Amino acid sequence: MGDMRDTLVLNASFEPLSTVSLHRAVILVLQDKAVVEQAHPGLRMRAAAVDLPVPQVIRLCRYVRVPFRRQAPWSRRGVLARDQHRCAYCGRRATTVDHVVPRSHGGADSWLNTVASCAEDNHRKADR
C-alpha cells in the first residue's frame, strides 16, 4: 500500500489542487464533500455501513477559490528545472546557475536574470 499514500484532490472544475493522505480522502468522500473520480483497481474499503473504492483521485463537490499567486519564488533548483538541466550556452548537462548580469554588476537573483549553465561555461563567462 506504499503507492496509495497520497490521493490527488481536484477542484470542482477538475483542476488539480493538492494531494492528501488516503485517510483524509476517505473522510472527504464520507462527508459528501468529494466524490471518487478514479479508484485503485480491485481495491475497496469496507466497514459496517461503508463500502467504497480506495480513492486515487477525488473531486470536490463545491468549487474552492484558490488565491492567485503571481510568481513562484526564485530558487537555484527552480532555474535548473525550468531549463531542464541543459546549459543555455552549449546544451550539455547544467549543474550551476549563471547570472546574465553578474551580481557584482547589480544583477539580481531573479527568473529573468538567471539561466542554467554547465560549470565550464559558467567559469568561462566569469564576471562578465
Side-chain angles (χ1 to χ4, degrees):
M1 286 185 92
D3 62 338
M4 290 190 286
R5 250 193 316 261
D6 289 330
T7 303
L8 177 64
V9 179
L10 303 176
N11 212 339
S13 58
F14 290 89
E15 56 195 334
L17 288 178
S18 67
T19 57
V20 296
S21 68
L22 178 60
H23 182 259
R24 180 72 180 132
V26 170
I27 289 172
L28 288 169
V29 171
L30 291 176
Q31 292 176 337
D32 292 326
K33 293 182 178 180
V35 293
V36 177
E37 285 294 327
Q38 183 176 337
H40 287 277
L43 296 177
R44 299 195 68 78
M45 300 187 96
R46 292 186 178 97
V50 177
D51 182 10
L52 70 120
V54 176
Q56 239 178 349
V57 180
I58 61 172
R59 181 176 48 85
L60 298 178
C61 294
R62 295 184 63 175
Y63 181 80
V64 174
R65 195 177 84 68
V66 181
F68 179 68
R69 190 171 182 187
R70 279 199 308 273
Q71 193 176 31
W74 181 88
S75 69
R76 178 182 177 280
R77 182 201 248 161
V79 172
L80 288 170
R82 176 196 69 189
D83 296 348
Q84 299 173 340
H85 290 82
R86 292 279 162 240
C87 178
Y89 304 111
C90 68
R92 290 185 307 204
R93 180 149 178 82
T95 55
T96 64
V97 170
D98 179 53
H99 290 78
V100 178
V101 176
R103 286 190 294 189
S104 63
H105 295 279
D109 282 340
S110 70
W111 291 107
L112 295 176
N113 190 47
T114 51
V115 293
S117 173
C118 66
E120 260 182 61
D121 287 337
N122 200 350
H123 181 71
R124 186 180 308 116
K125 183 176 174 278
D127 197 30
R128 295 186 296 261

